[in-house]
Amino acid sequence: MKNWTDSLKPKIRSMQESFYLLARNRLSLFALVLLCVIVLLAILAPWIIPYPQDIADEAHIADKFLAPSAAHWFGTDELGRDVFSRVIYGGRVSLSTAILTVGISLLIGVPLGAVAGTLGGHVDNVIMRITDIFLSFPPLLLAISLVAILGSSLTNAILAIAISWWPWYTRLVRGQAISIKERKFVQAAETIGTGKLKIIFRHIVPNCISPVIVQASMDMGGVILTVASLSFLGLGAKAPTPEWGLMISTGRTYFPDMWWCCIFPGLAIFITVLCFNLLGDAAREILDPKTRKR
Amino acid sequence: MAFFEIKNLLVRHKSFDGVKTVLDIDKLTVEKGETYGLVGESGQGKTVLALTILKLLQCPPGIIEQGEILLEGVNLLKKTERSMQAEIRGKRIAMIFQDPMSCLNPVFTIKDCMVDALRQNHKGMSRKEAVSQAVKLLQEVKLADPESTLVKYPHQLSGGQRQRVIIALALCCGADFLIADEPTRNLDVTIQASILKLLRELQKKHGMTVLFIANNLSLVGAFCDRVGILRDGRIVEEGTADQVVSHPREEYTRLLREACETKLKPTDDSQEEILLRVEHLKKYFDINDEVRHIRHQSLKAVDDVSFDIHSGEVLGIVGESGCGKSTLVNTILELFEPTAGKVYFEGKDIFGESNGSQGNAFKKNVQIVFQDPYWSLNPRWLVKDIVAEPLDVYEKLGEAERLIRVEELLAMVGLPGDACYKYPHEFSGGERQRIAIARSLASNPKLVVLDEPTSSIDVFSQNQILDLIKELKKKFGLTNILISHDLAVVHELSNRIAVMYLGKIVEFGPAREIFEHPRHPYTQALFDAIPRVGDTGMEGIRTLEGQIPSPINPPSGCPFHTRCPMAQDRCKEEVPQETYYSERHYVRCLLAEEQQEKGGDVL
Amino acid sequence: MGKYILKRLLSSLVVLLGVITITFVIARVVPSDPAAKWAGNRATQEQLAQAREELGLNKSLPEQYITYIGQLLRGDLGKSLNSKQPVTTELKQYVPATLELVLLAFILAILIGIPLGIYSAKKKDRMLDHISRFFSIGAVSLPTFWVALFLQLIFYKNLNVLPLGGDLSVMATIFEERPQITGMLLFDCMLTGKWQMFGDAFLHIILPCITIALYPIGLVSRMTRSALLEILNEDYITAGRSYGIREFKMLWKYALKNSLGATATDVALSMGYTLTNTFLVEAIFSWPGIGSYISKAITSLDYPAIIGVTIFGSVCYIILNLLADIIIASDPRVRL
């Protein structure tokens, strides 16, 4: 057990240092705190929202289109559902789809990039040509046509976005792998006789993970935006799921008179994505060796 | 009033580890026309000082706490950014930076840079005048073809040429105080000497005052009038060059001095048994650069090299950067595919076998210790995993047993057992190099390659590492290949020496013989380019003219003829063969061939 | 240089072929019955059979693939289910309006984004930097379609200074004929000298243009800032300062030229984003471009139209990236 705690100590120290660097910028610190709150709200959503039944298809026609008030902070929608409850619960939907999408993209993109960068030659050529092809679709367009053919649903949206997203990681990791491959510890491992697979996954991948983390944190925001966009176009979540993009899309019909149906879900998207982007920015600065240099 | 003076300067640096003092200088004075040398290793605050003088230090993280920097009585630290730019930088104080590769803007031609700098500092100068002035300055720094150099981009010039351009840029401004921050650090020794001679000449001609910053005591001793030793931001010793170099008072200065000295090496304990035999090894890299219209050419990094290593000996390989010494060992270690030739280890052809058990046995028996222990250890691994990496490949051990072995190995290199659970960045350079050595010993190898093992660690650790290498070598009966540009290190460890130039071995023989009587003109030049400890003045330094030719298109005949002071016409055509002085000492030089034919002995 | 461009052109063609292959897979291989998708939901048996015939579904996949490429080479993207018109014809009709919008937004993105990035880098960690960073990060965090609605709420409903949507008000078309030269309304008005109509059209393009430009502005300024910061840390900038070169010149001449390569790539990428954003907001502003076209196609599941727009958008994007790479290649460092 002692060994285990021993090996943990340097990691904690490095985390403390990261936190010190992060806290130098108050804006990033604020983003971190806010994001923690958002995540917490998303996790606890079913237990804390004021009208838990409103996340489903339940209608209270009598209460429809109530303007924001003490009882309904964000007002009510066309079926009389509490917009505040739905917005909070929507965080759960958005965050989990974002995590899934980024996770799938990482699982495809990172190993491919590491293999391409490390092995080089024909393997690299083939992988990178495929990557180039996927990157030649304008953002969102590939996802749109994929979901259109597959049929619109949240699952298909996740799949479609992941399919158009992984090449970014492949490209990023490949670039990193190429520079790390030149480091002497990789050459040392080769002279020792360590196997190729172990070199790729134990030496190279852990060392190119920092920029991937930065990218992934920014992409969380990007994916939330993309999912909302697809839902807005009618290609993502289906009613009555309280998905932010879908809520705006539905509310659009009654816009601008019943503005609260659109404005609050949009604000929720904005704040969440903003936090991810601020943190990603801060992370990039922290992980940059130039900043870290003592 | 002194020309330049620093009083009570205190500069700090703020980071996660708290506020650290980087510079703490009570008093430093430079008189007009003087050359003041500031010596210290990297990380001692030399560059920070140079940047502080010009007010170019980044704040934060830097903090200038207090002090005065006086140029003819005017405090520079009190000046505004605007007046620094308009009156001081360039016009009074110019700077030469240490890395000629990175301090020329890559997207502008030399002309663009020089014309801008000239017109900035000479009001009303027309473009045309500026260009002709630039040509004059390039002539002054002895660039062979100023007009054609002007229209080139920095990447089209060699390191030595770039450093000359940078000196010319510093001259552009007409400053009378020059700060030279390790101007020769990344240059080859033979180029280094000629740059220093140039600087000395220009200083005399323009009556400049020079603050010369370097890490090599013998260099500063020869070049400067007065010397200060910088350690941890403080000047620990100061005096005339002769005083400081010949009679150092401080322990630190003594070590710096020792690092430049060549010591007599131990006896030859090699055996007759041949461990490794290299036969006609070639490694060419294909160059296919469409944009530069270079196609199907090859860079001859290693060109027909043969030698033997006997069990228990240390073979030193010496040469300037780009001579192919690293490529040679990397090819032997199978990091590169050889173009041609054979390597036998214990009589077995290592390239012949496919990557079967044979290849593995070779890898187990041959290990390498790299130059920079920072990059040779995976920063994300714990030390126990780093040291155990060879164990994991060759011996499948249980966790407990593995840990015991790692602790043994660490103890062998003088590190405590609790180092296991730390990351490499928690150690100093010297300690990291010990970890690298421990790893190289884990598979019980017979041959360990040492690639510049001490050149990136501080002087305190250098000697200890060298002692450790000697001790381990005796204990395990190791055979070593030692690559180094540092002749002192080679001299201390090697039994035999191979001198390489442009991918070829030009001289090969017992270390003692070569050090006492270098035969090849290149070997001689290499030895003469470095001032000996205690030399004052630049007279003792001999320089080689010209640039190192490109290995893509090496000169015909003897590859050294373009720079050889003794070259004759036939050197351009005939390829020299080995001329033996004794059974184990040969050179490749036509003059030596001639001498031997005539029955003479020495060149 | 010429050789490099040729090589780059060839690789673009390979990529194009790949893109076409992927759309082929999406359209013909992924769906279990492509004809059903192609003929629409309310198709009769005959229509289905006809679609099967048209798509060549009775042939093997490789044969279908070759026919598919042949059709694309002839510019045949199939027929739209909604209008029964060839998709190519319809695209021709809708593209100019989108092009006008995208170009304007793009110019806006460069004119605002690059200077913002430069000054942000210059004044790093000062107030101006904080504000501009917050603005640019905010800009890339906003859902575009929501911004569109928000702007409508303020400028149409509350302030009532700008029109809700469309590219021209009904009033404007009563007195004057709509000019038809390039299809780009503002441009056509200028050519024909219809300045009153130009003014009206200009008011209409403001909101969609700002909405679409917001994301690229943020992207370009962030990328410019980080590229510049890296360059401003380089030794040659410190060296330049030590020769007494003026800061203004350092920034605009020295550092900017170095960041050109990085900026060109980002500008191409941001062009991709402006294109994407049009898909999301044109419908909201009732802008008669391909964005509205694809929105309609999505609601009515008009697959030929969707695939057609995808291919068209990708071709544009590939050409843009090609241009960006050629700009980068003019950087002397590439010749290293």
Side-chain angles (χ1 to χ4, degrees):
Chain A
M1 211 54 203
K2 183 186 167 291
N3 294 350
W4 186 74
T5 47
D6 274 353
S7 62
L8 213 60
K9 237 182 265 165
K11 281 185 180 136
I12 292 172
R13 208 188 117 76
S14 148
M15 268 164 68
Q16 277 174 336
E17 186 180 355
S18 302
F19 189 76
Y20 161 83
L21 290 167
L22 182 85
R24 278 195 318 193
N25 187 337
R26 275 197 217 112
L27 198 59
S28 338
L29 194 64
F30 175 71
L32 183 68
V33 173
L34 196 58
L35 194 67
C36 289
V37 172
I38 292 171
V39 171
L40 218 63
L41 281 179
I43 293 171
L44 300 174
W47 298 280
I48 56 168
I49 50 176
Y51 302 93
Q53 69 281 11
D54 283 4
I55 55 163
D57 223 348
E58 211 171 280
H60 325 272
I61 302 298
D63 294 338
K64 75 171 182 182
F65 295 133
L66 292 178
S69 66
H72 300 281
W73 291 358
F74 293 175
T76 59
D77 64 5
E78 76 283 355
L79 292 177
R81 294 173 297 190
D82 180 43
V83 175
F84 179 72
S85 303
R86 289 174 63 78
V87 165
I88 298 294
Y89 199 88
R92 211 176 152 88
V93 178
S94 285
L95 286 177
S96 48
T97 41
I99 290 170
L100 264 175
T101 314
V102 173
I104 295 172
S105 312
L106 283 172
L107 277 182
I108 307 173
V110 172
L112 277 180
V115 168
T118 317
L119 297 184
H122 292 301
V123 181
D124 180 35
N125 261 331
V126 171
I127 293 178
M128 287 327 285
R129 282 301 82 76
I130 295 173
T131 310
D132 280 348
I133 290 166
F134 276 92
L135 287 174
S136 300
F137 289 95
L140 200 64
L141 207 45
L142 181 63
I144 288 180
S145 52
L146 259 174
V147 186
I149 293 288
L150 289 173
S152 48
S153 77
L154 207 50
T155 325
N156 285 346
I158 292 174
L159 270 179
I161 298 171
I163 284 174
S164 50
W165 217 286
W166 66 267
W168 293 104
Y169 295 119
T170 307
R171 195 189 244 191
L172 179 71
V173 172
R174 174 181 176 264
Q176 290 288 318
I178 286 175
S179 73
I180 286 159
K181 184 170 72 168
E182 298 303 316
R183 304 251 170 97
K184 294 292 179 191
F185 63 81
V186 178
Q187 292 189 3
E190 273 174 45
T191 43
I192 284 167
T194 307
K196 267 276 181 255
L197 267 182
K198 193 175 176 190
I199 288 182
I200 294 176
F201 289 100
R202 290 277 282 124
H203 278 295
I204 292 185
V205 172
N207 279 292
C208 49
I209 219 69
S210 302
V212 175
I213 290 172
V214 174
Q215 193 58 45
S217 119
M218 303 239 200
D219 285 352
M220 287 289 289
V223 167
I224 290 176
L225 274 183
T226 313
V227 172
S229 304
L230 282 180
S231 295
F232 178 77
L233 288 171
L235 291 173
K238 286 266 161 272
T241 317
E243 205 280 333
W244 293 331
L246 185 65
M247 289 163 77
I248 298 176
S249 172
T250 325
R252 215 193 116 201
T253 330
Y254 317 104
F255 192 80
D257 300 309
M258 318 302 170
W259 54 269
W260 53 89
C261 297
C262 290
I263 294 304
F264 290 115
L267 265 180
I269 300 179
F270 173 59
I271 291 171
T272 314
V273 177
L274 185 69
C275 286
F276 276 117
N277 279 336
L278 282 173
L279 272 187
D281 236 30
R284 171 158 48 193
E285 212 156 292
I286 290 168
L287 295 172
D288 183 0
K290 274 184 197 145
T291 327
R292 237 196 162 117
K293 203 163 52 181
R294 312 198 178 142
Chain B
M1 183 179 63
F3 175 71
F4 177 80
E5 207 170 349
I6 295 179
K7 282 183 189 162
N8 300 321
L9 183 69
L10 185 61
V11 179
R12 294 174 190 268
H13 188 275
K14 196 180 173 211
S15 74
F16 171 64
D17 298 314
V19 180
K20 213 177 97 191
T21 303
V22 199
L23 276 180
D24 183 4
I25 296 177
D26 288 338
K27 193 171 163 60
L28 187 155
T29 45
V30 184
E31 299 297 335
K32 191 156 182 60
E34 187 181 49
T35 309
Y36 188 95
L38 202 57
V39 192
E41 295 174 274
S42 55
Q44 310 290 350
K46 291 171 302 179
T47 303
V48 175
L49 177 64
L51 291 175
T52 310
I53 293 172
L54 282 168
K55 272 187 94 168
L56 287 172
L57 185 71
Q58 280 209 348
C59 304
I63 309 163
I64 298 173
E65 293 268 357
Q66 59 174 57
E68 288 173 81
I69 295 177
L70 304 169
L71 182 70
E72 295 188 322
V74 181
N75 189 352
L76 299 182
L77 291 178
K78 288 244 165 66
K79 282 194 166 274
T80 60
E81 176 65 28
R82 186 175 288 271
S83 76
M84 278 303 287
Q85 186 263 316
E87 297 157 25
I88 305 293
R89 287 181 206 149
K91 294 186 181 60
R92 298 301 311 277
I93 307 178
M95 184 161 166
I96 299 172
F97 291 83
Q98 56 172 270
D99 188 358
M101 301 299 162
S102 68
C103 65
L104 285 171
N105 193 329
V107 300
F108 287 100
T109 59
I110 306 304
K111 186 157 120 189
D112 293 332
C113 294
M114 290 191 73
V115 168
D116 266 354
L118 279 166
R119 294 185 66 189
Q120 186 72 53
N121 291 298
H122 300 275
K123 279 266 148 32
M125 184 182 256
S126 75
R127 220 188 138 70
K128 225 176 186 176
E129 283 169 347
V131 173
S132 67
Q133 180 67 21
V135 173
K136 262 186 221 148
L137 284 170
L138 288 185
Q139 275 164 349
E140 206 168 321
V141 295
K142 297 185 178 150
L143 269 167
D145 190 1
E147 277 89 1
S148 72
T149 308
L150 267 186
V151 294
K152 282 185 177 154
Y153 286 97
H155 67 257
Q156 293 167 312
L157 302 176
S158 72
Q161 286 170 322
R162 279 190 230 194
Q163 198 56 284
R164 282 168 198 265
V165 168
I166 288 161
I167 294 171
L169 268 166
L171 292 176
C172 272
C173 319
D176 53 356
F177 185 40
L178 188 69
I179 302 173
D181 182 8
E182 302 202 42
T184 57
R185 183 186 180 129
N186 292 327
L187 299 176
D188 290 312
V189 280
T190 53
I191 306 284
Q192 188 175 322
S194 62
I195 294 279
L196 286 181
K197 278 203 159 174
L198 173 71
L199 269 179
R200 167 49 57 95
E201 207 173 287
L202 291 172
Q203 182 199 3
K204 279 200 182 124
K205 187 170 162 196
H206 295 271
M208 283 189 291
T209 311
V210 176
L211 177 62
F212 185 83
I213 299 175
N215 63 355
N216 182 316
L217 190 62
S218 63
L219 205 67
V220 170
F223 187 70
C224 300
D225 306 318
R226 285 200 307 137
V227 176
I229 307 287
L230 196 65
R231 179 158 187 236
D232 292 333
R234 277 169 229 271
I235 295 192
V236 291
E237 186 166 357
E238 195 183 37
T240 63
D242 189 42
Q243 257 175 14
V244 173
V245 178
S246 312
H247 312 285
R249 275 176 290 132
E250 291 289 318
E251 169 76 6
Y252 184 67
T253 319
R254 219 170 43 70
L255 279 167
L256 280 174
R257 184 196 140 115
E258 253 173 43
C260 314
E261 271 176 352
T262 50
K263 283 159 259 172
L264 274 183
K265 55 157 211 73
T267 52
D268 188 350
D269 45 6
S270 66
Q271 298 146 21
E272 277 310 298
E273 181 197 341
I274 290 174
L275 186 69
L276 185 88
R277 158 168 285 177
V278 177
E279 277 182 4
H280 303 289
L281 190 67
K282 290 180 183 173
K283 174 65 201 170
Y284 295 175
F285 292 100
D286 284 334
I287 306 288
N288 228 340
D289 185 338
E290 313 248 313
V291 188
R292 271 202 298 178
H293 303 290
I294 300 172
R295 301 186 71 191
H296 307 301
Q297 294 204 28
S298 42
L299 187 154
K300 295 173 183 169
V302 175
D303 196 9
D304 199 1
V305 166
S306 309
F307 61 85
D308 297 334
I309 298 175
H310 300 265
S311 282
E313 78 167 345
V314 179
L315 173 71
I317 302 181
V318 200
E320 292 170 284
S321 66
C323 72
K325 54 189 195 297
S326 292
T327 312
L328 173 64
V329 289
N330 285 347
T331 313
I332 294 172
L333 289 168
E334 294 186 283
L335 289 173
F336 295 142
E337 284 280 317
T339 307
K342 289 216 157 72
V343 174
Y344 298 95
F345 184 76
E346 295 186 314
K348 286 176 204 130
D349 181 2
I350 60 159
F351 297 145
E353 302 288 327
S354 56
N355 279 352
S357 55
Q358 177 78 43
N360 256 348
F362 174 69
K363 289 202 162 172
K364 181 174 182 294
N365 278 319
V366 181
Q367 290 295 319
I368 183 165
V369 175
F370 286 104
Q371 167 180 8
D372 188 339
Y374 191 80
W375 291 124
S376 66
L377 307 176
N378 189 334
R380 303 210 172 241
W381 282 23
L382 288 170
V383 167
K384 74 175 170 83
D385 296 320
I386 292 172
V387 174
E389 195 177 357
L391 297 177
D392 295 342
V393 178
Y394 299 105
E395 301 168 49
K396 302 278 178 254
L397 296 175
E399 182 60 27
E401 214 179 327
R402 181 168 173 263
L403 201 61
I404 291 169
R405 281 292 302 278
V406 170
E407 277 172 0
E408 273 172 21
L409 285 161
L410 287 176
M412 228 172 325
V413 296
L415 285 173
D418 66 1
C420 276
Y421 289 100
K422 285 182 180 167
Y423 285 97
H425 68 86
E426 295 175 72
F427 294 91
S428 71
E431 287 169 328
R432 277 199 286 253
Q433 199 61 298
R434 286 169 191 265
I435 296 170
I437 292 171
R439 172 177 63 186
S440 75
L441 295 176
S443 61
N444 291 321
K446 292 179 177 154
L447 175 67
V448 175
V449 177
L450 305 163
D451 186 353
E452 309 254 10
T454 57
S455 65
S456 40
I457 49 187
D458 62 293
V459 281
F460 280 112
S461 313
Q462 275 179 15
N463 281 334
Q464 295 167 4
I465 292 288
L466 289 180
D467 288 343
L468 176 69
I469 290 171
K470 277 189 266 187
E471 183 196 320
L472 291 172
K473 178 180 148 34
K474 206 172 274 171
K475 199 162 163 188
F476 295 99
L478 292 175
T479 311
N480 292 115
I481 297 179
L482 170 71
I483 305 177
S484 186
H485 70 279
D486 187 342
L487 294 172
V489 172
V490 175
H491 199 190
E492 183 160 351
L493 289 178
S494 313
N495 307 107
R496 287 196 297 158
I497 289 176
V499 182
M500 282 185 78
Y501 186 75
L502 281 180
K504 288 187 156 73
I505 293 180
V506 294
E507 181 159 5
F508 190 100
R512 188 182 287 265
E513 271 182 54
I514 290 186
F515 268 91
E516 281 164 8
H517 303 288
R519 306 285 184 157
H520 195 280
Y522 177 66
T523 317
Q524 292 167 354
L526 210 55
F527 286 12
D528 289 343
I530 302 167
R532 274 165 232 279
V533 178
D535 279 4
T536 45
M538 304 289 289
E539 292 74 27
I541 302 177
R542 279 207 289 154
T543 61
L544 276 182
E545 294 309 316
Q547 304 297 327
I548 300 175
S550 154
I552 297 175
N553 227 336
S556 58
C558 171
F560 187 56
H561 82 251
T562 53
R563 297 170 75 203
C564 182
M566 288 173 251
Q568 299 167 349
D569 281 343
R570 59 181 290 228
C571 294
K572 291 177 194 164
E573 281 134 35
E574 289 171 52
V575 179
Q577 297 305 315
E578 290 150 26
T579 309
Y580 282 87
Y581 288 95
S582 64
E583 197 192 337
R584 294 166 83 179
H585 184 181
Y586 69 82
V587 296
R588 282 175 207 269
C589 180
L590 290 169
L591 293 168
E593 274 177 36
E594 231 168 68
Q595 294 278 350
Q596 199 147 56
E597 275 160 25
K598 285 184 197 153
D601 182 37
V602 193
L603 276 171
Chain C
M1 187 69 187
K3 234 178 199 160
Y4 170 77
I5 293 175
L6 198 73
K7 207 175 161 192
R8 187 62 188 71
L9 211 66
L10 276 176
S11 80
S12 290
L13 281 180
V14 174
V15 166
L16 186 66
L17 192 70
V19 166
I20 290 171
T21 312
I22 289 177
T23 57
F24 175 77
V25 171
I26 292 174
R28 307 283 176 88
V29 185
V30 174
S32 51
D33 185 6
K37 300 261 173 198
W38 223 246
N41 286 339
R42 274 159 290 168
T44 59
Q45 278 305 319
E46 289 134 59
Q47 280 173 320
L48 266 179
Q50 199 196 338
R52 231 168 246 139
E53 186 63 32
E54 258 175 50
L55 296 179
L57 289 183
N58 40 11
K59 293 185 212 145
S60 66
L61 271 181
E63 274 178 290
Q64 283 183 44
Y65 180 61
I66 287 165
T67 341
Y68 180 76
I69 288 178
Q71 283 169 341
L72 287 183
L73 282 180
R74 286 194 303 275
D76 177 5
L77 292 169
K79 274 189 185 134
S80 157
L81 295 182
N82 287 335
S83 60
K84 311 289 177 214
Q85 294 287 315
V87 173
T88 323
T89 324
E90 298 208 309
L91 279 182
K92 267 185 207 148
Q93 185 189 333
Y94 286 113
V95 160
T98 297
L99 196 63
E100 181 174 33
L101 196 57
V102 167
L103 275 180
L104 217 60
F106 180 66
I107 292 169
L108 209 62
I110 291 177
L111 285 186
I112 300 177
I114 291 181
L116 202 62
I118 291 172
Y119 274 103
S120 195
K122 172 80 187 105
K123 306 273 176 200
K124 185 176 187 291
D125 290 332
R126 306 246 205 95
M127 207 53 202
L128 186 80
D129 179 36
H130 288 311
I131 294 171
S132 102
R133 271 179 86 185
F134 191 77
F135 171 76
S136 45
I137 294 181
V140 296
S141 309
L142 283 166
T144 320
F145 49 93
W146 180 75
V147 175
L149 294 171
F150 191 74
L151 290 179
Q152 282 182 340
L153 180 67
I154 293 175
F155 291 98
Y156 173 71
K157 181 157 190 275
N158 290 351
L159 301 175
N160 200 15
V161 287
L162 291 173
L164 185 65
D167 61 346
L168 212 54
S169 50
V170 187
M171 290 297 283
T173 49
I174 292 175
F175 305 110
E176 280 181 298
E177 187 84 3
R178 190 191 168 105
Q180 299 282 0
I181 301 171
T182 57
M184 291 189 265
L185 190 57
L186 281 177
F187 197 56
D188 288 350
C189 288
M190 274 201 284
L191 286 181
T192 51
K194 293 182 174 171
W195 295 108
Q196 209 168 355
M197 190 181 261
F198 178 84
D200 187 67
F202 185 73
L203 285 182
H204 278 83
I205 209 172
I206 292 178
L207 287 188
C209 184
I210 289 177
T211 313
I212 289 172
L214 216 48
Y215 192 98
I217 289 175
L219 191 74
V220 170
S221 91
R222 280 176 79 189
M223 298 293 184
T224 311
R225 176 179 183 270
S226 64
L228 262 185
L229 276 184
E230 208 160 283
I231 288 162
L232 288 177
N233 265 327
E234 295 280 351
D235 287 349
Y236 53 79
I237 296 293
T238 315
R241 287 193 181 129
S242 82
Y243 306 137
I245 307 278
R246 272 180 301 134
E247 273 303 305
F248 185 80
K249 203 170 195 176
M250 291 304 304
L251 199 61
W252 285 92
K253 179 171 175 188
Y254 283 54
L256 195 61
K257 189 166 178 191
N258 285 288
S259 70
L260 191 69
T263 317
T265 326
D266 302 327
V267 165
L269 182 68
S270 73
M271 191 83 175
Y273 277 108
T274 46
L275 200 66
T276 308
N277 286 347
T278 61
F279 299 145
L280 294 167
V281 301
E282 276 189 10
I284 299 177
F285 288 108
S286 331
W287 192 261
I290 43 171
S292 295
Y293 180 64
I294 200 174
S295 299
K296 232 179 292 162
I298 289 169
T299 12
S300 55
L301 295 178
D302 185 349
Y303 293 102
I306 297 174
I307 298 291
V309 172
T310 307
I311 292 173
F312 172 76
S314 310
V315 171
C316 294
Y317 198 46
I318 289 172
I319 293 172
L320 262 171
N321 277 315
L322 182 68
L323 288 179
D325 277 358
I326 290 173
I327 292 175
I328 294 169
S330 64
D331 184 335
R333 275 172 303 178
V334 177
R335 273 171 248 163
L336 268 172

